[in-house]
């Protein structure tokens, strides 16, 4: 499966940072074997797509409604209109701060996919879930409840342990393998054979120094990168590691 390395710029980026978007898009052309994308702040999407025509630019959230009285929100059609081709949904920072439920995340994913956007749907356990031995159970329930009913269009799932985001800590490679295998099982349960083709990304403190070992883990089909996606100098070695990793023919759940 072709790997996907997506950057999540979160609330970083103004016009002067378009030079980094351009540097990343230009350098990514050398890695045809990897899909690369950047999810930038909504207000930067249109300028980013004009700066790098043809390079995938995404949003970081989308509303589930087509339009209406939703102050401050952005619809799938608006993202497409600005030139976006994908969006993140269900990031833990939104699940927490905006109190987004699994049901809401599912509705957002379905709205985006139906409109023609690719979707990166995030799941992940808290520190206390991991500490109490409930990580697999919590993430599986999140996935079960927030996955769209049909895997139509382009869906990817991102496993992002909350305690690994922005902390420099990552799970052991065994823990990543275990979680990604469980997510693969969940995707196969939801979509039968089509569930084998849904990419499962790892996110949380992915850096140039750990990317290669993470990409070598079975069922890791790419990465969702926060801090290290802001600069081409940090991001491109991660893309290069994805390009160098062995491409598996098929994915079997462990
Ligand atoms: P960091 O790579 O900064 O840990 O962020 C991960 C993340 O939340 C990507 O969505």
């Amino acid at each position: 499966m072709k790997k996907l390395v997506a950057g999540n710029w979160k609330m970083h980026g103004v016009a002067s940072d378009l030079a980094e978007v351009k540097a990343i898009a230009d350098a990514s052309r050398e890695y045809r074997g990897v899909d690369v994308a950047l999810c930038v702040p909504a207000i930067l999407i249109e300028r980013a797509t004009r700066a790098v025509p043809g390079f995938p630019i995404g949003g970081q959230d989308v509303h589930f409604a087509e339009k209406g009285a939703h102050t401050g929100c952005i619809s799938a059609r608006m993202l497409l209109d600005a030139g976006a081709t994908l969006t993140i949904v269900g990031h833990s920072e939104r699940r927490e701060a905006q109190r987004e439920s699994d049901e809401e995340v599912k509705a957002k994913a379905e709205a985006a996919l139906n409109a023609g956007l690719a979707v990166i749907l995030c799941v992940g356990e808290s520190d206390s879930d991991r500490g109490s031995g409930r990580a697999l159970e919590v993430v599986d329930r999140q996935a079960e409840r927030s996955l769209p009913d049909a895997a139509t269009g382009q869906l990817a799932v991102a496993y992002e342990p909350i305690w690994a985001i922005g902390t420099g800590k990552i799970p052991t490679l065994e823990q990543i393998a275990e979680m990604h295998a469980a997510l693969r099982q969940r995707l196969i349960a939801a979509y039968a054979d089509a569930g084998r083709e849904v990419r499962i990304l790892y996110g949380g403190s992915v850096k140039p120094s750990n990317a290669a070992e993470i990409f070598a883990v079975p069922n890791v089909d790419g990465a969702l990168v926060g801090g290290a996606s802001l600069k081409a100098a940090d991001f491109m070695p991660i893309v290069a590691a994805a390009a160098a990793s062995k491409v598996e023919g098929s994915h079997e759940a462990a």
Side-chain angles (χ1 to χ4, degrees), residues 54-252:
F55 178 83
I57 296 291
Q60 300 171 5
D61 180 45
V62 66
H63 199 276
F64 52 77
E66 273 179 42
K67 59 183 171 182
H70 303 287
T71 303
C73 299
I74 295 172
S75 70
R77 187 162 165 233
M78 292 170 185
L79 287 177
L80 286 160
D81 191 49
T85 56
L86 72 149
T87 187
I88 296 168
V89 298
H91 194 283
S92 59
E93 285 154 17
R94 295 197 58 85
R95 286 179 184 263
E96 273 181 16
Q98 271 73 35
R99 306 220 170 104
E100 288 187 8
S101 66
D102 290 328
E103 292 68 28
E104 199 176 339
V105 171
K106 175 176 178 174
K108 288 176 174 209
E110 290 184 339
L113 289 169
N114 289 339
L117 289 164
V119 164
I120 299 173
L121 190 160
C122 304
V123 293
E125 83 282 2
S126 68
D127 204 10
S128 67
D129 294 331
R130 175 61 69 180
S132 62
R134 296 178 60 238
L136 280 168
E137 179 195 328
V138 165
V139 172
D140 186 54
R141 197 177 58 225
Q142 248 178 16
E144 183 184 15
R145 292 184 183 175
S146 50
L147 283 174
D149 279 340
T152 48
Q154 286 206 331
L155 174 69
V157 172
Y159 167 53
E160 297 208 316
I162 297 168
W163 53 272
I165 295 175
T167 58
K169 290 191 260 180
I170 64 165
T172 65
L173 300 179
E174 290 72 26
Q175 287 170 331
I176 295 175
E178 184 183 40
M179 189 63 80
H180 280 234
L183 284 169
R184 180 66 65 207
Q185 296 277 25
R186 171 56 57 200
L187 287 163
I188 291 169
Y191 310 126
D193 270 352
R196 297 179 198 279
E197 302 307 319
V198 176
R199 287 187 283 207
I200 308 175
L201 315 181
Y202 170 78
S205 296
V206 178
K207 309 274 179 240
S209 56
N210 60 22
E213 60 181 23
I214 292 171
F215 289 137
V217 173
N219 285 301
V220 172
D221 308 309
L224 184 56
V225 184
S229 71
L230 295 172
K231 298 280 177 211
D234 297 325
F235 193 54
M236 292 320 298
I238 298 173
V239 174
S245 67
K246 191 164 77 65
V247 177
E248 290 173 63
S250 68
H251 287 267
E252 295 300 327

